[in-house]
Amino acid sequence: MSSTPTFKRLPRAVREQQMLDAAVRVFSRRGFHAASMDEIAEDAGISKPMVYAYLGSKEELFVACLHREGTRMMEAIAGAAAPDLDADERLWRGLRAFFGFVGAHRDGWAVLYRQARGSQPFAGELAAMRARLVEVVAGMLDHALRARGREVGATDLEVVAYALVGASESLGDWLADHPEADPEKTATRMMNVAWLGADQLLRGVTWHPEG
Amino acid sequence: MSSTPTFKRLPRAVREQQMLDAAVRVFSRRGFHAASMDEIAEDAGISKPMVYAYLGSKEELFVACLHREGTRMMEAIAGAAAPDLDADERLWRGLRAFFGFVGAHRDGWAVLYRQARGSQPFAGELAAMRARLVEVVAGMLDHALRARGREVGATDLEVVAYALVGASESLGDWLADHPEADPEKTATRMMNVAWLGADQLLRGVTWHPEG
DNA sequence: GAGCATACCTACTCGTGCGTAAGGTTACGC
DNA sequence: GCGTAACCTTACGCACGAGTAGGTATGCTC
């Protein structure tokens, strides 16, 4: 017979990627808990036990998604924002890379940003990634400040960086929901908010209550 | 007998509030799916069918939490930022109210912000709330701009407002994870990022690529 | 073309937790 | 003091989905 071997046998590495692709799609569509392993398997064009054989439990599968998408994103950003540029140029390239990534991997972003926040086991994983980003941004600010002979407390720096990262994430979210929007333009808008504020801070301008 | 009527019978309105209190606690501790109706009922000092009788299904219960906490927050903010003040003063008071609320209702905030993002049914509810906030902020910016004889596209305005709201949410999240942090000080920090950037925009200063 | 490893499947078990049926008890009106 | 309505309980049905047992096919090596 061998009538319709409709789907060919494939080596492990390939199938794993297909499964991860499917998992990202389904997780982003349904959320972690509402996603069923059956649906993921079906979407990947494979049967459920294969998923367990290759990627382990549902949690492990989700963490694998998180890792792959997170690594891709960090690499995209790190590759764009070379450390020997001026602060504004680094920020600009980093933002452009970030929004480019979100625009190109909307569901990957949705998994990362929306799903992983709530449930305990993944929040830590995600927080670690965010922390790296925050550290990079804070480092940029600190570097730029020192170059101007200024100094700011570590907490202040961290919090400002946190706010900038949060604003970017939020705009990333907005972008994911507006398929017609242009990532490049979104990056420019973010830059307008972030850099103009940061630039003022770098100049030593600050705001305080009752003034 | 009537030995130990340990817990008294209470009118519906009171029990409903107790249930909502418990639900917020449990949802924030466990997340939506991991939270069980049994645990919520136990935490409220009542049995499960009562929860169903009063608040309906698990989803409806969660939405009820969302509504109550969201309304409280919006009222806190709206009450603080009177519309006849200057833009910076309004922003400042709004931020102070916001971070004050987060500091005082850490678990309520966690429910609102972290759990509701992922799963479909609630994302809309939350998005609607955020949209109201964004609209308020955008309105503030627009008002301030017109007062200076300037005009900006509606989308630009919305996106900037979105970024500011996102940054605030993100710092709110940071605050919820840092019990030792002072809400007032956090608000000041946020103001430094937001207002200095916004102020520049209001003056007509903009940033654009390759400059 | 025998042997073996690896890809792959169908068809199940079993825990968990939402939602409910059916009945007990307390307060309050009359 | 007695009905009745609201409050509250225990104890269950039932669906859904994670994870697995055990078996089949395919290709690769010698």
Side-chain angles (χ1 to χ4, degrees):
Chain A
M1 270 289 189
S2 81
S3 52
T4 44
T6 329
F7 287 97
K8 284 173 74 171
R9 284 177 91 137
L10 292 171
R12 176 168 183 152
V14 177
R15 271 279 134 83
E16 276 184 351
Q17 291 306 311
Q18 291 181 348
M19 290 176 188
L20 286 175
D21 290 342
V24 167
R25 266 194 302 274
V26 175
F27 279 136
S28 74
R29 197 160 52 227
R30 305 250 189 254
F32 175 74
H33 278 278
S36 80
M37 292 299 266
D38 292 275
E39 186 177 356
I40 291 170
E42 192 190 337
D43 193 281
I46 213 75
S47 74
K48 196 167 49 158
M50 288 308 297
V51 182
Y52 281 91
Y54 284 174
L55 279 320
S57 74
K58 190 181 181 183
E59 280 200 4
E60 287 170 313
L61 174 59
F62 189 83
V63 170
C65 292
L66 218 57
H67 256 112
R68 195 184 67 166
E69 300 301 314
T71 305
R72 282 181 179 173
M73 191 186 84
M74 292 301 270
E75 277 173 359
I77 295 174
D84 56 343
L85 296 165
D86 279 351
D88 64 336
E89 192 62 23
R90 278 188 79 191
L91 188 56
W92 165 238
R93 294 192 188 195
L95 284 175
R96 215 173 41 170
F98 172 74
F99 287 107
F101 176 87
V102 173
H105 302 78
R106 288 172 202 251
D107 45 6
W109 168 254
V111 169
L112 243 51
Y113 183 56
R114 296 186 200 177
Q115 311 302 336
R117 290 200 90 102
S119 347
Q120 255 72 42
F122 320 126
E125 201 79 26
L126 180 62
M129 262 185 38
R130 199 208 311 285
R132 281 177 56 198
L133 255 185
V134 168
E135 205 180 328
V136 169
V137 174
M140 269 169 57
L141 291 175
D142 191 40
H143 181 76
L145 278 166
R146 283 178 196 282
R148 294 164 205 225
R150 219 175 289 283
E151 200 126 354
V152 171
T155 308
D156 279 303
L157 223 50
E158 189 205 334
V159 171
V160 170
Y162 208 96
L164 292 182
V165 170
S168 304
E169 287 177 343
S170 194
L171 280 197
D173 211 36
W174 179 86
L175 182 63
D177 284 339
H178 291 75
E180 77 285 0
D182 177 27
E184 185 97 359
K185 194 161 187 189
T186 308
T188 308
R189 283 170 174 142
M190 181 61 214
M191 191 68 187
N192 265 297
V193 177
W195 180 248
L196 295 179
D199 190 44
Q200 291 286 87
L201 286 177
L202 292 178
R203 288 176 206 274
V205 182
T206 56
W207 184 95
H208 35 77
E210 200 203 11
Chain B
M1 270 288 187
S2 82
S3 52
T4 44
T6 327
F7 288 97
K8 283 173 73 173
R9 287 175 86 130
L10 292 171
R12 175 168 185 154
V14 177
R15 271 279 134 85
E16 276 185 351
Q17 291 306 311
Q18 291 180 348
M19 290 177 189
L20 285 175
D21 290 341
V24 168
R25 265 193 305 272
V26 175
F27 279 137
S28 72
R29 195 161 52 227
R30 304 252 189 252
F32 175 73
H33 278 279
S36 79
M37 293 299 266
D38 292 274
E39 185 177 356
I40 292 171
E42 192 189 338
D43 192 284
I46 213 77
S47 73
K48 198 167 49 157
M50 286 310 298
V51 182
Y52 281 91
Y54 285 174
L55 279 321
S57 73
K58 191 181 182 184
E59 280 200 5
E60 288 171 312
L61 173 60
F62 190 83
V63 170
C65 292
L66 218 58
H67 255 112
R68 197 184 64 165
E69 300 300 314
T71 305
R72 282 182 181 171
M73 190 187 84
M74 291 300 271
E75 278 172 358
I77 295 174
D84 56 344
L85 295 166
D86 280 350
D88 64 336
E89 191 62 23
R90 278 188 78 190
L91 188 56
W92 165 240
R93 295 194 187 194
L95 284 175
R96 215 172 42 169
F98 172 74
F99 287 106
F101 176 87
V102 173
H105 301 78
R106 290 177 200 246
D107 47 3
W109 167 253
V111 169
L112 242 53
Y113 183 56
R114 292 185 201 175
Q115 313 299 338
R117 291 203 90 101
S119 343
Q120 255 70 42
F122 321 126
E125 201 77 27
L126 181 61
M129 260 185 41
R130 199 209 311 287
R132 281 178 58 197
L133 255 185
V134 167
E135 205 180 327
V136 169
V137 174
M140 267 170 58
L141 290 176
D142 191 41
H143 182 76
L145 277 167
R146 283 177 196 281
R148 292 163 208 227
R150 220 174 290 282
E151 200 126 354
V152 171
T155 308
D156 279 302
L157 222 52
E158 190 203 335
V159 171
V160 170
Y162 210 95
L164 293 182
V165 170
S168 304
E169 286 177 344
S170 194
L171 281 198
D173 211 35
W174 180 87
L175 183 62
D177 284 338
H178 292 75
E180 76 286 0
D182 177 28
E184 185 98 359
K185 194 161 188 188
T186 308
T188 308
R189 283 169 174 143
M190 179 62 215
M191 191 68 187
N192 265 295
V193 177
W195 179 247
L196 294 180
D199 189 43
Q200 291 286 86
L201 285 178
L202 292 177
R203 287 177 206 275
V205 181
T206 55
W207 183 96
H208 36 78
E210 202 202 10

